[in-house]
Amino acid sequence: LAGDTITYTVSLNVTNGPTTAATVLTDTLDADLTFVAVTNNPGGFAAGGAGQVRTFTLPSGAASGTYVVEYTATVNATATG
């Protein structure tokens, strides 16, 4: 419904770390959504991007493990479907 908040969770599993280069995850929001904020980022991703395209960069040298970042978006008033 319009105005609802949706929480997204993006994760990356690093095996055989440490990483030798930065890793960039890209998440593209539907046109009916508006990015609000990163709400949980214990893994140290650098959040970036603009508009519907959000990026999360894990720097080189990351040790083996699972890295998680969460962010929220709201449903636009003009959303359909």
Side-chain angles (χ1 to χ4, degrees):
L1 295 173
D4 281 358
T5 299
I6 300 170
T7 300
Y8 288 89
T9 302
V10 180
S11 64
L12 172 68
N13 188 34
V14 174
T15 57
N16 300 318
T19 58
T20 58
T23 303
V24 180
L25 304 179
T26 301
D27 202 13
T28 302
L29 293 169
D30 186 81
D32 290 330
L33 300 171
T34 298
F35 173 80
V36 176
V38 171
T39 56
N40 187 27
N41 187 13
F45 282 99
Q52 304 311 100
V53 180
R54 311 314 301 185
T55 59
F56 305 97
T57 304
L58 188 66
S60 65
S64 295
T66 300
Y67 297 84
V68 177
V69 61
E70 294 179 350
Y71 70 92
T72 56
T74 55
V75 179
N76 298 334
T78 57
T80 59

